[in-house]
Amino acid sequence: MKILVINGSPKGKASNTYKLTCAFLEGMKLEAEEEKDIVQVEEIQVNQLELKPCRGCFACWNKTPGKCCIQDDMQEVIAKILWTDIVIWSFPLYYYTVPGGLKTLIDRQLPMELPFMAEREDGVGSGSHPSRYDMSGKRTVLISTCGFYTAEGNYDGIYSLFDHMCGKNQYTSIFCGQGELFRVPEVSARTGEYLEYVRRAGWEYAKGGISEKVWDGLNRLLYPKELFERMADASWGISKEDGTKESDALIFTRQMAALYRKESYPGRERVLEMYYTDIDERYQIVLGKEGSRVLADGFETFTTRIETPVTLWRSIGAGEIRGDEALMKQLYKVKGDFDLMLKWDECFGSGKSDRNDGKNHGYDTGYDIDDRKEKKTNMMNFLAPWIIFWTAVPFDGYMGAFFSLAACALLPLLFYHNKKTIYDLLSGACTAAFALALIKGAPVRAVVPLSYSAFALLWLFSCFLKIPLSAHYSMNEYGGVGALKNPLFIRTNWILTLLWGILYLVTAVCTYGIMGTNAAYLTGVINMALPAGMGIFTLWFQKWYPAFVAAGM
Ligand SMILES: Cc1cc2nc3c(=O)[nH]c(=O)nc-3n(C[C@H](O)[C@H](O)[C@H](O)COP(=O)(O)O)c2cc1C
């Protein structure tokens, strides 16, 4: 397969559109690799060509048929067009058509045509010229970005041009609005998703045709109109009031504010203060019901204040550094209400979210190209075998053991839709082993405290591993598996897991004592008091501790 890319952006390889084209090519190459096809790619960067405009002399039709009288790079371009199987025209939309340089290249294709008048069968225009060469079997792809929020309604000129050039429906076109976002690192999560669709489109195109699902992803707006226009306006760095240049940090703060999602409004106005420590500048973003506004003076009382070097915050925004990691290393500080930090994605959803908890944290991009939905863990899956065992066995050791065994067999049915952890499996196995020991005649007073110890050891043992036990379950509330990369989340869970382990070791000792009294049958119920208290502590601690660290204490 021979592919020719003609990049018509005056920006050359720095073009937004070229990013899409590269993704499309990657997809095509991947398919060829899978099919063990050989792919040859040639690229023409129009901005690097020496290309003079057509003189309109028709010498290529009458004096020197097929040869242009201008000696420049066009001869080589024509040779490549004749060589290739697929031409990918990559260009930005300029004044609703192709940029000038590319239009020159298109005009200079005249030597490829014969001068005779011919009828068209596809009803486009009023006639055509036959091709001098056999162009049958060659395919055409158009890839373009434009500056408005949508491509819709802006490409009439392009459709008209290529309908005439290639024939109606004889080419494949990927047109994308909001093109300038492809150079903004802060929104790379969303543009990255889009590029993934383009990559898939290339792969499917090479296979034979782009599926409806991929078209659907390609035709979806990068961002809603209103949000994009806010971001675009903020990106110019010019004051809307008087047209003067604004400071880089203020522009950056405005862009951040533009990403605010008013759907995340929690019923009270919040004031996020950004204090850029390296340049000693302060701005506030008021997050309200109807949207956000930026204050450069006339400040209000902040609810959350972030003290950070602007360079660091930019790197975090661009995804070069993880915000939680930087916080853990105390590279920036957070004062006031920490809840905003925990809900950052919901508040400033900049695109794709790696969360998989069913809530819409970022913009709903509908991105799920592979239909992979990650299942969630469920702590009840881990706890239920123990709760049943500890409640049933003290009432009646023998019957309780049978009951526990039956429960262990049935629980997987109840939690079939959840992702299993190693601790879920160990819980089932341990309680089943303890129940069998009881059936075999082991004394209840020994087995029950032992079971509490085993449970405690599961918690304590996990403190020596990379991910402490509670993190496997609480990650669902903190961004899914992505939270496991957050050192602050891991450290919070490590402390909690250690405390839960100690609590159950103490419980094991108490249990031995209680089981020697008349209230032995109530052991399971009595032992619920301590964990209930610890549960309340856990809820408080998992919010308090990250805020404590963030405040730089
Ligand atoms: C001279 C000029 C004319 C433009 N005309 C249009 C236009 O008519 N419609 C539009 O939506 N965007 C227009 N744009 C915006 C570009 O199409 C947009 O920025 C595109 O993403 C640039 O792509 P590139 O980086 O691949 O060159 C224009 C930009 C320039 C510089």
Side-chain angles (χ1 to χ4, degrees):
M1 180 168 42
K2 296 179 206 143
I3 306 171
L4 173 65
V5 174
I6 302 179
N7 177 13
S9 171
K11 286 151 52 183
K13 290 191 177 180
S15 137
N16 302 317
T17 316
Y18 187 66
K19 292 193 172 80
L20 275 66
T21 303
C22 290
F24 192 84
L25 263 180
E26 268 172 43
M28 288 187 84
K29 284 183 190 163
L30 182 68
E31 196 276 345
E33 216 172 89
E34 287 167 10
E35 296 299 320
K36 310 232 170 346
D37 269 357
I38 297 166
V39 185
Q40 291 169 271
V41 182
E42 283 285 340
E43 281 193 12
I44 295 173
Q45 300 295 336
V46 177
N47 69 339
Q48 312 247 302
L49 295 179
E50 194 210 331
L51 212 59
K52 296 191 187 84
C54 174
R55 289 182 194 155
C57 64
F58 291 115
C60 61
W61 277 4
N62 48 29
K63 282 196 194 136
T64 52
K67 299 256 175 308
C68 183
C69 60
I70 308 171
Q71 295 302 310
D72 58 12
D73 290 337
M74 193 59 201
Q75 283 71 26
E76 208 181 313
V77 172
I78 291 180
K80 285 183 178 165
I81 293 174
L82 295 177
W83 160 86
T84 195
D85 300 318
I86 300 170
V87 187
I88 303 179
W89 298 84
S90 174
F91 57 90
L93 189 69
Y94 272 17
Y95 279 91
Y96 310 99
T97 184
V98 294
L102 188 59
K103 181 63 169 58
T104 299
L105 185 148
I106 291 171
D107 293 349
R108 293 283 306 279
Q109 292 180 109
L110 201 67
M112 296 176 69
E113 289 178 2
L114 290 163
F116 315 116
M117 297 296 168
E119 292 300 323
R120 290 192 73 119
E121 276 146 29
D122 56 6
V124 177
S126 55
S128 67
H129 298 292
S131 176
R132 193 179 292 276
Y133 304 100
D134 179 11
M135 304 295 278
S136 57
K138 288 191 191 291
R139 294 193 284 161
T140 306
V141 178
L142 312 185
I143 300 180
S144 178
T145 63
C146 69
F148 289 126
Y149 83 94
T150 176
E152 227 170 274
N154 289 320
Y155 278 83
D156 308 5
I158 299 293
Y159 283 124
S160 176
L161 172 65
F162 281 89
D163 280 0
H164 281 89
M165 268 171 61
C166 310
K168 214 171 180 58
N169 303 322
Q170 296 305 307
Y171 54 91
T172 301
S173 49
I174 296 175
F175 298 150
C176 175
Q178 310 186 16
E180 284 303 318
L181 292 185
F182 286 93
R183 65 177 171 83
V184 181
E186 284 81 7
V187 295
S188 59
R190 174 64 185 115
T191 47
E193 283 174 358
Y194 192 88
L195 291 175
E196 194 52 49
Y197 269 106
V198 180
R199 208 164 284 124
R200 176 60 74 104
W203 185 83
E204 290 187 355
Y205 180 80
K207 274 238 167 301
I210 301 173
S211 66
E212 220 170 279
K213 181 172 176 183
V214 170
W215 275 125
D216 207 41
L218 293 173
N219 291 333
R220 204 166 286 145
L221 294 179
L222 285 177
Y223 285 99
K225 176 178 186 287
E226 189 199 331
L227 171 76
F228 163 71
E229 289 178 350
R230 266 201 326 257
M231 278 197 286
D233 288 352
S235 72
W236 297 110
I238 308 279
S239 156
K240 257 192 158 178
E241 281 79 45
D242 55 14
T244 53
K245 181 93 185 92
E246 290 185 328
S247 99
D248 279 355
L250 179 55
I251 300 164
F252 176 63
T253 311
R254 284 199 199 286
Q255 283 177 316
M256 207 164 100
L259 284 168
Y260 171 63
R261 308 180 69 231
K262 58 179 187 241
E263 301 76 41
S264 68
Y265 179 73
R268 69 193 153 84
E269 206 168 72
R270 290 167 295 178
V271 179
L272 169 63
E273 182 162 296
M274 298 301 302
Y275 175 60
Y276 301 117
T277 50
D278 46 350
I279 50 171
D280 191 26
E281 280 182 43
R282 172 163 81 119
Y283 302 103
Q284 289 186 335
I285 308 174
V286 183
L287 308 168
K289 194 176 174 187
E290 299 303 329
S292 66
R293 62 199 159 86
V294 175
L295 304 180
D297 47 31
F299 294 123
E300 298 182 8
T301 311
F302 70 79
T303 49
T304 304
R305 172 176 155 109
I306 299 176
E307 295 176 3
T308 176
V310 68
T311 44
L312 173 74
W313 207 251
R314 274 184 188 281
S315 300
I316 292 171
E320 292 158 10
I321 305 177
R322 283 184 62 94
D324 39 39
E325 232 174 86
L327 183 62
M328 188 67 185
K329 290 182 189 156
Q330 307 216 322
L331 298 180
Y332 68 91
K333 287 181 187 171
V334 181
K335 304 231 158 102
D337 180 13
F338 193 71
D339 202 51
L340 181 67
M341 306 306 290
L342 295 173
K343 298 192 172 124
W344 192 266
D345 279 356
E346 279 163 65
C347 209
F348 298 102
S350 57
K352 182 183 169 188
S353 155
D354 60 355
R355 297 188 172 200
N356 241 322
D357 54 6
K359 294 180 205 154
N360 182 13
H361 295 277
Y363 292 95
D364 180 15
T365 62
Y367 178 78
D368 190 16
I369 205 159
D370 286 333
D371 286 335
R372 277 174 295 168
K373 280 262 180 280
E374 201 182 306
K375 288 180 173 180
K376 287 200 284 178
T377 57
N378 185 338
M379 200 168 210
M380 272 320 282
N381 204 356
F382 165 62
L383 294 178
W386 300 99
I387 293 173
I388 293 166
F389 181 85
W390 292 329
T391 315
V393 167
F395 277 104
D396 185 321
Y398 196 70
M399 290 309 292
F402 270 111
F403 188 70
S404 292
L405 272 182
C408 283
L410 291 175
L411 280 173
L413 297 178
L414 199 62
F415 296 104
Y416 76 96
H417 57 280
N418 287 119
K419 185 173 154 187
K420 304 281 173 294
T421 71
I422 180 73
Y423 301 102
D424 297 347
L425 303 177
L426 284 172
S427 287
C430 289
T431 48
F434 286 123
L436 282 173
L438 287 170
I439 291 166
K440 286 270 177 203
V444 176
R445 191 169 178 201
V447 170
V448 176
L450 268 179
S451 70
Y452 277 104
S453 311
F455 185 68
L457 287 177
L458 285 182
W459 289 85
L460 294 174
F461 175 70
S462 80
C463 289
F464 294 99
L465 304 176
K466 234 168 94 187
I467 302 166
L469 192 151
S470 66
H472 286 277
Y473 303 97
S474 59
M475 68 179 181
N476 296 322
E477 294 305 312
Y478 292 88
V481 282
L484 300 179
K485 292 188 210 135
N486 178 344
L488 189 52
F489 172 80
I490 293 293
R491 193 199 277 183
T492 310
N493 276 277
W494 185 87
I495 297 170
L496 286 169
T497 297
L498 182 71
L499 290 177
W500 277 98
I502 295 170
L503 180 121
Y504 274 97
L505 269 189
V506 173
T507 307
V509 178
C510 295
T511 302
Y512 185 76
I514 299 168
M515 295 211 78
T517 68
N518 287 343
Y521 69 100
L522 286 176
T523 311
V525 183
I526 295 168
N527 281 348
M528 278 178 196
L530 267 181
M534 181 66 184
I536 294 167
F537 172 80
T538 299
L539 289 178
W540 169 80
F541 184 82
Q542 63 193 8
K543 283 196 189 263
W544 173 83
Y545 183 70
F548 174 76
V549 174
M553 306 214 218

